[in-house]
Amino acid sequence: MFVVSLSVQSETGGNLAEILEGLSGVIRARQSMVLKVRALSSEGRISALMLTALPVLTFCSTFALNPKFYLEVANDRAFVPGFGALFLLYLLGVIIIRRMIDLKV
């Protein structure tokens, strides 16, 4: 934005100090807006973190405390495709959550 301001000023003329003052106001306002959006979206970002981490932590803790819970059904024919589908749905959920909380200002 600085370079564009300088090129416009050099082509059209005008008060450079006034242009730079306006530019600094725009940059400060934009930074303030970014911080406000970040503060207002913090609850959503923490919720996204919990929704992303909770299934993995639950699986790991269940497997650590009672390995038979998953090993008994691991021999079933539907386990591998079902677990693969579950993993793909989990990744899809992570991608959707990331896109929902990625706010552009």
Side-chain angles (χ1 to χ4, degrees):
M1 290 190 329
F2 177 72
V3 173
V4 170
S5 298
L6 285 180
S7 67
V8 167
Q9 190 274 336
S10 68
E11 290 177 10
T12 62
N15 188 357
L16 181 60
E18 191 175 303
I19 291 172
L20 293 179
E21 184 179 338
L23 178 62
S24 69
V26 168
I27 291 172
R28 285 188 185 105
R30 184 174 178 185
Q31 182 63 28
S32 174
M33 181 64 71
V34 167
L35 292 175
K36 285 179 186 177
V37 167
R38 185 170 170 88
L40 292 173
S41 68
S42 62
E43 181 183 356
R45 287 185 286 120
I46 293 298
S47 296
L49 177 68
M50 291 303 296
L51 288 173
T52 302
L54 194 60
V56 175
L57 293 175
T58 304
F59 173 78
C60 291
S61 63
T62 303
F63 192 74
L65 294 175
N66 188 9
K68 292 180 184 179
F69 185 78
Y70 291 112
L71 294 178
E72 288 178 357
V73 296
N75 295 331
D76 193 348
R77 290 183 301 155
F79 181 77
V80 174
F83 193 75
L86 180 71
F87 187 72
L88 287 176
L89 288 174
Y90 174 75
L91 287 179
L92 179 66
V94 168
I95 291 169
I96 290 172
I97 288 173
R98 287 284 181 202
R99 291 186 66 190
M100 285 173 43
I101 64 168
D102 187 26
L103 302 174
K104 302 291 183 200
V105 179

